[in-house]
Structures are given as C-alpha cells and as structure tokens.
Amino acid sequence: MRGRFLVAPFLAVIFACTGDKPLSPIEATDEEAIYNLLFNDYWRLTTLDIIDQTVPDTAAFLVVPDSETELYWHVIDSTNENLVIDILPQPVPSPVGEVYQGNVFYENTFFGSFRGMRYNASADSIERSNKPFTIRGGRQVICQQWGFPNRVRRGWLITSIGDVRFLSLGQSYHFLDSLTYRTPLQAETTFVIGNYSLDQLRRFAPGEQVTVSMVLADSADFMQFMIPSADFSYRLAELTADSNGVLTATFDMPSRALHGQLRFLLINAHDWTAPYKAVGYSFNYRIG
C-alpha cells in the first residue's frame, strides 16, 4: 500500500521493537519497515530527546547556600509524539533506478515545569521558582526502497535526514551566536541547520577531540549542552568562559563507528515573571 500513515502515541506501541528485531517476523507493511529503520536501526540519529532531567543536589545547596549559584532543572510531565509517513504513489529516480520514496516527519512536544532555586543573601532566605514549559521540535527524513520487499527487512534506506530546531511554543527567543566546532583535523566550522544524506553528515574520527564554541546573547541565560559519554550515552558539558564571553567545551567523540547528536538548549532563566522561553538544536554527526 502506498499512501499516508499517521502514528499517534498510543499506536506507536504497536510498532515498537524489542531488541534488534522487528515486531513481526516479516515486516507487514512498508510503513512498519520505515518505522523500524528509524527507531530501531538508527535510533541514536532520530531521537528527539532534548531536555536533561537531572535534578541538582538541592539538599547540599540548602545546607550551604551560595548566593553566587542558582540551580535550574526541568521536570517533564508528558510528551506528545507525532509521526507522519507519506509514501509517494509513484516511483522516483535514484542512483539504482526508479524506487518508491517515503517522506517522514517526526515531531515531539514536551510538557512540564521549569524549576529554579537561589539564595537571597540580603533576606537570608531560599527563593524557589516554578513555571510551566512547552517545547517542540521536529525533523524530516527521506527514505527510499532500494531492497527487496519479500525479505525479512524490506530494504528501505535513509537518503536524507534533517537537524532539529526546538522552540518554546508561542514564545520566540534569540539563538546562540558564533556556534562553531573545531578539531585537530578540522578547521573551525559553523553549525548550520540542514538536511543531509548519511554520507554528508558532520564526520569525526573515532575518539577525535572536539572543541565547541558559542556566545550567549544574554549572559544570564541558562545553557544545557549534551555531549557524548562512554560511546553510547550523553552527559552535560562543562562550559568555560573567556574574558570575551566566549563559552567553550572540549571533549572526545565516541571511540567507535556510530551515529549521534550534539544537543543544545538555551533558556531564559533569569526573568521568572516572563513565560518560559527557550530554543534548542540537535545536530547529527557520524563517527568514522
């Protein structure tokens, strides 16, 4: 069947995978094959997770409050995923001849509360803040059927995948400035949101040391930057600032060939009377 396919959150369970196998012995439809390709085979490349939910050590802060330090964290109450798979009715040209193409749009919306804590030295009191947030991001993927439909896997390949921009709904916000990266093997390069084939993704050598630089338009913004950790996980980067206000983080990329993302989230944290405002990015890369 060629056509349009919508997956609501409750339907996503039907197409979930266990381990490295599809739900059915032979993928029943092209839509199921595309779903398995994106969320099983290339899950590190397609996930739309952007928010780190680590809660800082508030107990230690209460014991020894510091007026120079403010604590911030997110609590996610729910998410709303939207997946649209639109398989074109007629084949399209490709390097291997005419093939069927599936255009995919995947979107995730996060709902929760953004929380803060600080010590007011003049009043000798702990001030707590809490406001709701809604932030959404989406990516586009193009898949083509270059394989054989009667096999266990139906032969769909990713031919193009997009980086992601996340925005707080109804609240526009400024972006990071001078967002670049450099390595011992690569000159300084600016991050640009785009759509890329897998062989055109940002590429790093296994274990290559990367330095990412950026400037905050507002120095009081709260910045979360997720970097690779132990090959298959992520952690918050430690940012250092120079005398010109340029923030940098230096880290090693994974040591093996795989795909991943560098994720940035910039939040207006100091104006608690204003609605939650944030902007984020998720940039794809490949190792090897």
Side-chain angles (χ1 to χ4, degrees), residues 47-121:
T47 178
L48 290 187
D49 292 336
I50 185 69
I51 297 174
D52 176 72
Q53 293 190 79
T54 303
V55 179
D57 192 343
T58 57
F61 184 81
L62 293 174
V63 172
V64 186
D66 180 2
S67 60
E68 299 298 320
T69 301
E70 296 185 44
L71 304 183
Y72 303 111
W73 68 98
H74 291 83
V75 175
I76 296 177
D77 296 326
S78 63
T79 60
N80 182 24
E81 296 180 277
N82 180 37
L83 173 65
V84 178
I85 299 175
D86 187 11
I87 299 178
L88 302 182
Q90 300 298 327
V92 301
S94 83
V96 297
E98 290 195 340
V99 297
Y100 283 103
Q101 178 169 299
N103 298 329
V104 181
F105 178 71
Y106 173 45
E107 182 180 71
N108 201 2
T109 306
F110 301 87
F111 305 91
S113 58
F114 180 60
R115 303 181 183 184
M117 179 183 293
R118 69 176 184 174
Y119 174 61
N120 186 332

Side-chain angles (χ1 to χ4, degrees), residues 103-106 138-142 160-164 194-196:
N103 298 329
V104 181
F105 178 71
Y106 173 45
R139 74 164 77 249
Q140 295 179 329
V141 187
I142 295 177
S160 176
I161 188 166
D163 297 321
V164 181
N195 296 316
Y196 305 92

Side-chain angles (χ1 to χ4, degrees), residues 84-192:
V84 178
I85 299 175
D86 187 11
I87 299 178
L88 302 182
Q90 300 298 327
V92 301
S94 83
V96 297
E98 290 195 340
V99 297
Y100 283 103
Q101 178 169 299
N103 298 329
V104 181
F105 178 71
Y106 173 45
E107 182 180 71
N108 201 2
T109 306
F110 301 87
F111 305 91
S113 58
F114 180 60
R115 303 181 183 184
M117 179 183 293
R118 69 176 184 174
Y119 174 61
N120 186 332
S122 60
D124 189 24
S125 64
I126 298 293
E127 297 178 348
R128 295 176 173 85
S129 302
N130 184 4
K131 60 183 172 183
F133 73 83
T134 303
I135 187 168
R136 174 183 295 164
R139 74 164 77 249
Q140 295 179 329
V141 187
I142 295 177
C143 301
Q144 290 183 345
Q145 189 183 34
W146 291 14
F148 300 94
N150 60 341
R151 302 292 176 87
V152 171
R153 287 302 181 101
R154 298 175 72 88
W156 287 89
L157 301 173
I158 297 175
T159 58
S160 176
I161 188 166
D163 297 321
V164 181
R165 177 175 291 167
F166 292 83
L167 295 170
S168 49
L169 295 192
Q171 303 294 330
S172 61
Y173 204 48
H174 53 252
F175 299 144
L176 289 166
D177 189 20
S178 305
L179 182 58
T180 63
Y181 66 90
R182 65 181 185 276
T183 78
L185 302 176
Q186 302 182 56
E188 187 169 77
T189 304
T190 300
F191 282 97
V192 178

